[in-house]
């Protein structure tokens, strides 16, 4: 799933080198948290008008979760000098 999110995010942004997908530790209920980090200028491209692109990315992950029987969260943020995602 990490590779798919990376591929989709790189296709949407202008600064492809700043795209990172991080996976946090699973929560107590087994939910996996994915963070998509992009350049500050590209956050709007990933979110889209009225959040349509962000919703579509979450739907793709949710469709995979239904098939696997797992739960996931997708968060979108900006790189903080390529260190961490902003929450």
């Amino acid at each position: 799933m990490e590779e798919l999110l990376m591929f989709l995010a790189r296709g949407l942004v202008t600064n492809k080198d700043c795209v990172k997908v991080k996976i946090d530790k699973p929560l107590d209920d087994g939910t996996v948290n994915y963070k998509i980090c992009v350049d500050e200028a590209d956050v709007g491209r990933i979110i889209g008008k009225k959040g349509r692109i962000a919703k579509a990315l979450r739907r793709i992950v949710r469709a995979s979760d239904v098939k696997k029987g797992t739960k996931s969260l997708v968060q979108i943020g900006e790189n903080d000098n390529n260190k961490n995602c902003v929450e």
Side-chain angles (χ1 to χ4, degrees):
M1 187 55 58
E2 179 181 6
E3 295 161 2
L4 177 62
L5 287 173
M6 180 74 81
F7 174 77
L8 293 172
R10 282 190 174 163
L12 294 168
V13 299
T14 55
N15 193 352
K16 297 175 186 340
D17 296 333
C18 287
V19 176
K20 292 182 183 179
V21 177
K22 298 172 91 179
I23 302 173
D24 288 344
K25 285 184 178 180
L27 301 176
D28 294 336
D29 63 349
T31 303
V32 179
N33 189 12
Y34 295 99
K35 290 186 179 180
I36 302 173
C37 302
V38 296
D39 189 41
E40 182 181 347
D42 290 327
V43 172
R45 293 178 186 269
I46 291 289
I47 295 173
K49 271 190 179 175
K50 297 184 181 180
R52 288 183 182 152
I53 295 173
K55 287 178 189 177
L57 291 171
R58 291 181 178 120
R59 271 190 226 126
I60 291 168
V61 172
R62 197 174 320 126
S64 173
D65 287 340
V66 168
K67 192 171 185 178
K68 293 182 208 174
T70 60
K71 292 182 183 180
S72 297
L73 296 173
V74 177
Q75 295 179 333
I76 298 169
E78 60 188 45
N79 281 340
D80 183 23
N81 295 329
N82 291 330
K83 291 180 185 173
N84 295 320
C85 290
V86 175
E87 297 182 339

